[in-house]
Amino acid sequence: MSKVKITQVKSTIRRPQVQKRTMQALGLGKMNKSVEVEVNPAIQGMIRAVQHMIVVESI
């Protein structure tokens, strides 16, 4: 599977609890933090749910 680099660019303040938990599940929580994850259907769904707060780059 391919890997992607996910970077948080917006805060989770004043966001629904579901979106905050999704960001935690992705390994994010602070501004400008980046993680590298392997792409699978579950990760793709999480990315889609919080796409307005992150930037995704393929590796």
Side-chain angles (χ1 to χ4, degrees):
M1 297 240 108
S2 62
K3 290 186 112 182
V4 293
K5 180 179 178 183
I6 304 172
T7 305
Q8 181 176 349
V9 293
K10 290 196 177 180
S11 174
T12 57
I13 295 173
R14 298 191 64 188
R15 301 289 179 185
Q17 191 66 31
V18 172
Q19 291 179 5
K20 290 179 183 182
R21 282 184 274 162
T22 301
M23 294 293 274
Q24 287 179 342
L26 286 170
L28 302 170
K30 293 186 177 183
M31 295 287 296
N32 299 315
K33 183 173 180 182
S34 297
V35 293
E36 293 182 7
V37 294
E38 290 209 17
V39 178
N40 62 42
I43 296 295
Q44 287 176 338
M46 288 188 224
I47 290 171
R48 204 171 310 116
V50 294
Q51 65 185 350
H52 55 284
M53 292 189 283
I54 60 175
V55 171
V56 181
E57 305 168 18
S58 61
I59 297 177

